[in-house]
């Protein structure tokens, strides 16, 4: 297979080709995508985290007043009513968030959106991290914490994530208490190592990184004090639970007689520029975008760019695009379900903005059935990269059925010819067997379904 740079740029570094857009032609076009000022603005704005939390807090205060003085039975019945109302509001918000996310991914700058999704997955949180009932605040984690730092320094993104109330709540950091802190000396509360372990193991150095259990423990002690205000949802440093004294982590000393946030930030800055962090992030980028088994040459090139630029991410993206492996004609990755859905809509020239709440809900249900619940990753390690997790006989059937349903919507549109569409959305990856199957299909709808369920369309 010989793929041109246009096909690779759109499929490997975006969400696929469309019949109406020429798409990026090369590395220069992809870098230009990243620099667009509109990347920072959501195409379909949604409620901010602060607005959601303020509304939820207001409702909670009002309901507390309504419950006051009621009998146990009356209070129980009213609580059930409140719960149903909150679930309804949450479903509505999550539906709007789902539509907003799908619109952003499909109509925004493809490479920027892919990178945003990549970093959000590197710092994955799940429903347990929600401060608002039903976790309706989780979608704002990506838009307000991750997205603003995609074109900045990794250290700044790491700061923002570790300071995020969602991450602190998800990993139970608010309960972590230093044994020699003011609270720790008079209580049985102890240090929680969740955040410390994930920062080292998942966010930076990797599972095989050069840290020990003692490093995890010492970092957990350094992180005590990191908490959040449940009323405002804002990060706060609580000196009453912070462990005083020096901590030795990865061979260096951090802390002081009086705990301060700057001690943590100093460690995070050092961690961000650790050579093993550079290598681990380089490997993850290479695996996500290029190959499940990237070449040592590609990983080394990305690592070098990372360290030379002191973790300035655009320099790393540029290094990725300038390496020959990035333009290898073999599509070695499989589209994850959400990537498949976005590519499907783009290829059929449909907009997620046209979907009603029910249709959006059905898409969300399909994603969940295919192991990719939008707001609920498997765990803090995010979504698997292995093709086998996403593609099996049941998944192939499910993708074919979804392709068929969408194809039925297209079958009455005379401007679409399946054979021509195959050339437009598969580009140079179109194989003779697929071209024949599309041309030999009994109906136009079958022809469209053949395109969308083809191996070429499901790879990136």
């Amino acid at each position: 297979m010989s793929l041109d740079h246009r096909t690779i740029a759109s499929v490997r570094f975006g969400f696929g080709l469309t019949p109406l857009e020429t798409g990026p032609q090369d590395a220069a076009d992809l870098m230009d995508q990243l620099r667009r000022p509109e990347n920072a603005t959501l195409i379909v704005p949604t409620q901010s985290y602060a607005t959601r939390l303020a509304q939820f807090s207001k409702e909670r205060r009002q309901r507390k007043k309504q419950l006051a003085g009621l009998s146990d039975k009356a209070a129980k019945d009213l609580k059930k009513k409140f719960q149903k109302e909150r679930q309804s509001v949450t479903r509505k918000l999550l539906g709007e968030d789902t539509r907003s996310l799908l619109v952003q991914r499909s109509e925004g700058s493809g490479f920027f959106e892919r990178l945003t999704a990549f970093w959000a997955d590197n710092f994955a949180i799940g429903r347990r991290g929600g401060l608002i009932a039903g976790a309706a605040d989780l979608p704002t984690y990506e838009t307000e914490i991750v997205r603003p730092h995609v074109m900045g320094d990794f250290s700044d993104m790491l700061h923002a994530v570790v300071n995020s109330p969602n991450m602190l709540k998800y990993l139970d950091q608010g309960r972590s208490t230093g044994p020699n802190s003011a609270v720790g000396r008079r209580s049985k509360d102890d240090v929680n190592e969740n955040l410390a372990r994930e920062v080292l193991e998942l966010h930076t150095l990797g599972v095989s990184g050069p840290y020990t259990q003692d490093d995890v423990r010492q970092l957990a002690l350094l992180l005590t004090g990191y908490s959040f205000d449940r009323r405002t949802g804002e990060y706060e440093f609580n000196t009453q639970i912070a462990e005083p004294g020096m901590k030795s982590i990865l061979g260096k000393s951090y802390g002081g007689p009086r705990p301060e946030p700057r001690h943590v930030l100093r460690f995070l800055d050092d961690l961000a520029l650790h050579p093993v962090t550079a290598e681990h992030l380089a490997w993850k980028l290479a695996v996500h975008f290029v190959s499940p088994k990237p070449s040592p040459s590609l990983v080394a090139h990305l690592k070098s760019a990372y360290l030379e630029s002191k973790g300035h991410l655009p320099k790393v993206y540029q290094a990725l695009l300038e390496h020959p492996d990035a333009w290898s004609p073999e599509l070695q990755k499989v589209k994850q379900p959400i990537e498949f859905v976005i590519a499907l809509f783009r290829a059929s020239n449909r907009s997620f903005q046209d979907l009603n709440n029910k249709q959006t809900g059905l898409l969300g249900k399909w994603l969940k059935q295919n192991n990719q619940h939008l707001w609920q990753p498997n765990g803090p390690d995010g979504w698997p990269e292995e093709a086998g997790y996403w593609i099996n006989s049941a998944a192939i059937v499910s993708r074919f059925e979804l392709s068929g349903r969408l194809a039925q919507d297209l079958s009455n549109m005379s401007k679409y010819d399946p054979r021509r569409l195959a050339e437009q959305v598969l580009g140079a990856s179109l194989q003779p067997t697929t071209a024949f199957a599309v041309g030999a299909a009994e109906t136009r709808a079958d022809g469209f379904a053949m395109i969308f369920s083809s191996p070429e369309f499901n790879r990136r």
Side-chain angles (χ1 to χ4, degrees), residues 167-187:
M167 183 62 77
L168 295 174
K169 174 66 168 63
Y170 180 54
L171 297 176
D172 296 322
Q173 180 60 29
R175 301 178 182 178
S176 188
T177 303
N180 296 304
S181 66
V183 172
R185 289 194 302 268
R186 62 174 186 267
S187 73

Side-chain angles (χ1 to χ4, degrees), residues 196-438:
R197 186 173 302 281
E198 306 313 353
V199 164
L200 296 173
E201 183 176 287
L202 300 179
H203 302 162
T204 57
L205 301 175
V207 176
S208 301
Y211 60 88
T212 65
Q213 171 56 32
D214 189 55
D215 289 319
V216 173
R217 177 72 180 183
Q218 290 291 297
L219 176 54
L221 289 171
L222 185 67
L223 286 168
T224 54
Y226 263 53
S227 188
F228 54 88
D229 187 322
R230 290 181 177 275
R231 296 167 301 172
T232 65
E234 295 180 354
Y235 155 81
E236 66 177 12
F237 188 78
N238 186 347
T239 58
Q240 296 298 300
I241 60 175
E243 179 75 3
M246 302 299 293
K247 293 88 179 173
S248 178
I249 313 169
L250 301 176
K252 293 184 178 181
S253 295
Y254 303 90
R258 178 173 178 166
E260 297 179 39
R262 65 185 178 90
H263 299 149
V264 176
L265 297 182
R266 176 175 161 246
F267 168 76
L268 294 178
D269 286 340
D270 288 347
L271 184 62
L273 296 182
H274 196 291
V276 178
T277 294
E279 184 167 12
H280 179 63
L281 295 178
W283 177 80
K284 287 194 74 172
L285 277 164
V287 167
H288 182 75
F289 282 100
V290 179
S291 169
K293 295 181 179 180
S295 70
S297 169
L298 174 58
V299 175
H301 187 61
L302 297 181
K303 175 184 177 181
S304 177
Y306 183 99
L307 292 174
E308 288 177 6
S309 68
K310 297 188 183 301
H312 188 55
L313 296 176
K315 292 291 186 181
V316 183
Y317 309 149
Q318 180 68 59
L320 172 65
L321 296 175
E322 71 189 16
H323 195 277
D325 287 5
W327 304 96
S328 167
E330 184 180 2
L331 299 178
Q332 300 184 54
K333 301 290 294 183
V334 168
K335 287 185 175 78
Q336 296 178 8
I338 187 172
E339 295 167 347
F340 170 76
V341 167
I342 292 168
L344 188 61
F345 269 64
R346 283 172 54 81
S348 57
N349 194 33
R350 292 193 63 181
S351 173
F352 290 104
Q353 297 195 58
D354 297 331
L355 299 184
N356 57 37
N357 289 342
K358 182 178 180 181
Q359 291 169 322
T360 304
L362 289 174
L363 269 184
K365 184 178 180 180
W366 184 89
L367 289 168
K368 184 177 180 180
Q369 290 171 342
N370 283 268
N371 299 325
Q372 195 163 38
H373 192 318
L374 276 185
W375 313 117
Q376 186 66 26
N378 291 355
D381 54 345
W383 300 114
E385 290 285 354
E386 296 83 1
Y389 183 83
W390 303 112
I391 290 295
N392 51 44
S393 57
I396 292 172
V397 170
S398 181
R399 293 189 183 204
F400 182 81
E401 290 175 345
L402 184 63
S403 300
R405 288 201 295 272
L406 188 62
Q408 290 293 337
D409 294 339
L410 298 177
S411 61
N412 295 323
M413 300 176 68
S414 58
K415 65 180 179 180
Y416 285 98
D417 180 278
R419 292 167 296 183
R420 175 61 178 150
L421 189 66
E423 296 172 354
Q424 292 173 321
V425 303
L426 297 180
S429 70
L430 177 60
Q431 295 295 292
T433 51
T434 299
F436 176 80
V438 172

Side-chain angles (χ1 to χ4, degrees), residues 90-255:
T90 299
R91 281 195 297 270
K92 182 175 181 296
L93 271 176
L94 290 177
E96 293 171 355
D97 291 327
T98 299
R99 186 183 298 107
S100 176
L101 177 69
L102 292 171
V103 168
Q104 191 67 37
R105 293 280 192 265
S106 63
E107 300 181 21
S109 300
F111 191 28
F112 185 90
E113 293 303 321
R114 285 285 306 281
L115 286 165
T116 301
F118 169 82
W119 288 116
D121 193 58
N122 185 68
F123 296 108
I125 62 172
R127 190 176 291 272
R128 194 164 60 91
L131 295 178
I132 300 174
D137 54 340
L138 292 188
T140 64
Y141 171 74
E142 177 185 307
T143 58
E144 298 178 12
I145 302 300
V146 177
R147 178 177 289 269
H149 299 287
V150 169
M151 291 296 287
D153 295 341
F154 178 75
S155 59
D156 291 335
M157 186 185 293
L158 185 60
H159 289 179
V161 165
V162 175
N163 287 354
S164 164
N166 289 107
M167 183 62 77
L168 295 174
K169 174 66 168 63
Y170 180 54
L171 297 176
D172 296 322
Q173 180 60 29
R175 301 178 182 178
S176 188
T177 303
N180 296 304
S181 66
V183 172
R185 289 194 302 268
R186 62 174 186 267
S187 73
K188 295 182 180 180
D189 295 339
D190 197 5
V191 175
N192 187 299
E193 297 181 356
N194 290 352
L195 179 60
R197 186 173 302 281
E198 306 313 353
V199 164
L200 296 173
E201 183 176 287
L202 300 179
H203 302 162
T204 57
L205 301 175
V207 176
S208 301
Y211 60 88
T212 65
Q213 171 56 32
D214 189 55
D215 289 319
V216 173
R217 177 72 180 183
Q218 290 291 297
L219 176 54
L221 289 171
L222 185 67
L223 286 168
T224 54
Y226 263 53
S227 188
F228 54 88
D229 187 322
R230 290 181 177 275
R231 296 167 301 172
T232 65
E234 295 180 354
Y235 155 81
E236 66 177 12
F237 188 78
N238 186 347
T239 58
Q240 296 298 300
I241 60 175
E243 179 75 3
M246 302 299 293
K247 293 88 179 173
S248 178
I249 313 169
L250 301 176
K252 293 184 178 181
S253 295
Y254 303 90

